[in-house]
Amino acid sequence: MTRVKLIGLTGQSGAGKSTAAELFKQSGMSVIDADALVAKIYESSSACLKSVAASFGQDIINPDGSLNRRLLAKRAFESKENTALLGAIVHPFVIAETLRILKTLSGTAVFDAPQLFESNMDAVCDIIVSVTANEDVRLSRILGRDSVTEEQARERIRAQFSEEFFRTHSDYTLENNSDIADFKARTSALIQKIKAEVM
């Protein structure tokens, strides 16, 4: 059986990775959403949720057994150390589920993962695409998208790798500082280029 060609799609918070992921999906590729996998893994009473609560406080679990995502995010993004700790707990669960899904696929798939490098999943990707944007642009998008304070948004930005890191560790980098139509056009062009390479 031929191994699935895997495209790693990552980028900074607020850069526009989700928009790029949707375009990959529309092009006919299977997209594995790491954030969706995390949500599934965090289901009530899961081993992962218990491990996270042991490190970040039992009060991150709501009375109904679900995860208090806002409280966990607040604590996890307080420092790079906390962000790394959360990743060390969650990444093995995500990797296991991703590998299970890949066994059911054929052709080319996209792994949409904000923490692609932190989880070391970049090592199994054939091509890596990163979406970047200037910090002020990302800050504005995060504040407009999420119910967070400016300081919380800045903490999230500081907890991630720099734009230079993404540039030097990726095969392709998509800048998203301009209008959405321009970004979509450039992303679609890149998808066609990648398809010609791997399909």
Side-chain angles (χ1 to χ4, degrees):
M1 185 173 122
T2 305
R3 184 178 76 84
V4 173
K5 293 284 187 181
L6 189 61
I7 299 167
L9 176 63
T10 190
Q12 302 160 301
S13 182
K17 180 179 60 61
S18 296
T19 300
E22 183 59 30
L23 291 172
F24 271 100
K25 188 174 182 179
Q26 290 175 11
S27 79
M29 294 187 194
S30 298
V31 176
I32 302 170
D33 184 342
D35 284 343
L37 293 184
V38 171
K40 179 181 177 183
I41 290 164
Y42 278 152
E43 286 176 356
S44 299
S45 301
S46 74
C48 181
L49 184 55
K50 289 177 181 176
S51 297
V52 171
S55 294
F56 289 90
Q58 295 298 325
D59 56 338
I60 66 163
I61 300 179
N62 294 316
D64 65 358
S66 63
L67 173 66
N68 185 327
R69 295 178 183 280
R70 184 171 294 184
L71 183 57
L72 175 60
K74 180 177 182 296
R75 291 175 182 170
F77 289 121
E78 279 177 348
S79 67
K80 286 191 174 183
E81 291 75 18
N82 281 4
T83 305
L85 173 59
L86 180 62
I89 297 168
V90 177
H91 290 154
F93 291 91
V94 176
I95 291 170
E97 182 64 11
T98 301
L99 296 178
R100 184 194 69 76
I101 293 170
L102 285 173
K103 289 179 182 178
T104 70
L105 302 177
S106 60
T108 303
V110 178
F111 183 48
D112 173 10
Q115 295 207 323
L116 181 73
F117 297 111
E118 293 91 335
S119 65
N120 295 317
M121 277 294 286
D122 57 302
V124 300
C125 293
D126 297 281
I127 293 174
I128 296 173
V129 178
S130 288
V131 183
T132 64
N134 294 337
E135 184 171 326
D136 58 334
V137 173
R138 288 184 285 123
L139 178 64
S140 176
R141 289 175 182 157
I142 292 170
L143 291 174
R145 180 191 69 193
D146 303 334
S147 299
V148 295
T149 65
E150 181 174 335
E151 180 53 32
Q152 287 171 330
R154 290 189 184 280
E155 284 177 353
R156 188 179 301 181
I157 289 171
R158 286 194 294 267
Q160 294 185 303
F161 287 124
S162 66
E163 185 172 342
E164 180 62 23
F165 178 93
F166 283 102
R167 287 183 178 284
T168 57
H169 289 77
S170 304
D171 297 292
Y172 299 102
T173 305
L174 285 163
E175 284 188 2
N176 186 18
N177 293 311
S178 55
D179 65 90
I180 189 67
D182 174 70
F183 176 66
K184 285 184 174 181
R186 287 185 290 106
T187 302
S188 295
L190 177 59
I191 290 171
Q192 294 309 310
K193 177 180 173 65
I194 290 173
K195 277 188 168 184
E197 289 180 24
V198 302
M199 299 180 80

